[in-house]
Amino acid sequence: MKRTGLFTIAGLLAISLWSCSPTEEKKETKTTLAAEATVDKPEDVEKTITDLEKQWTQAIVKKDVDTLDRILAKDFAGTSPTAHTYYRDNAIDDLKSGRYVVTSMDLDEISVNVYPGAAVAFTSQEEKSKYDGKDNSGHYHYTDVWIKRDGKWQAVASHGSRFDKPSPEELRKKK
């Protein structure tokens, strides 16, 4: 009885280990991603992502849908500073329709953390804009997640928050 139990446990263990082992396809994908991720030097990725962040803001101001189509991944999802979830198609449609109108978008800070095959950008910007006819101008901070797929970097996620700078009166009160 004990021996049968041990054989059963050993058999189940072998089956579970076998089922958890990666298939050739999974191994190939991991190898491909790892090889692709190690090609870029962190400083090169940082420069690339910084350039892409600038292109992204310029594309919004210019309503350059082709650039946005290239920069935003098909599975892109974001959270707006008003805590609404939006997707790639929503962002592009809002610009095309004139629902979101940006007069200026000036990046004043960009920093990038680099990981194998991924990067996270932290940006700060002053924006003059309207959404649905309502003034939306202000200072914003964004955290953007970038993934390298098929040799090109694309934004897959973004989270924005509004930063209201203190007025001169508020600064005097703090002193």
Side-chain angles (χ1 to χ4, degrees), residues 52 55 65-72 152-154:
L52 286 167
Q55 289 174 35
V65 177
D66 291 335
T67 297
L68 291 174
D69 190 50
R70 177 179 47 83
I71 289 174
L72 302 178
K152 66 180 182 174
W153 288 95
Q154 288 190 305

Side-chain angles (χ1 to χ4, degrees), residues 52-60 68 71-72 144 146 155:
L52 286 167
E53 287 284 348
K54 291 175 183 176
Q55 289 174 35
W56 190 355
T57 58
Q58 291 167 3
I60 291 170
L68 291 174
I71 289 174
L72 302 178
D144 300 325
W146 296 83

Side-chain angles (χ1 to χ4, degrees), residues 35-56:
E36 191 173 280
T38 57
V39 171
D40 298 325
K41 293 179 185 173
E43 57 273 12
D44 293 341
V45 173
E46 187 174 344
K47 182 184 179 327
T48 298
I49 299 302
T50 297
D51 290 344
L52 286 167
E53 287 284 348
K54 291 175 183 176
Q55 289 174 35
W56 190 355

Side-chain angles (χ1 to χ4, degrees), residues 136-147:
N136 230 24
S137 302
H139 197 87
Y140 294 91
H141 290 243
Y142 287 91
T143 303
D144 300 325
V145 180
W146 296 83
I147 300 292

Side-chain angles (χ1 to χ4, degrees), residues 53-119:
E53 287 284 348
K54 291 175 183 176
Q55 289 174 35
W56 190 355
T57 58
Q58 291 167 3
I60 291 170
V61 173
K62 294 176 182 176
K63 295 186 179 191
D64 181 354
V65 177
D66 291 335
T67 297
L68 291 174
D69 190 50
R70 177 179 47 83
I71 289 174
L72 302 178
K74 297 264 187 239
D75 57 342
F76 172 87
T79 304
S80 73
T82 56
H84 291 92
T85 301
Y86 64 98
Y87 301 95
R88 175 182 180 270
D89 292 342
N90 302 122
I92 291 172
D93 290 344
D94 283 351
L95 276 174
K96 280 176 155 175
S97 70
R99 188 173 188 191
Y100 182 41
V101 178
V102 180
T103 310
S104 67
M105 195 176 271
D106 299 315
L107 288 168
D108 53 40
E109 197 176 322
I110 302 173
S111 63
V112 180
N113 291 356
V114 179
Y115 306 94

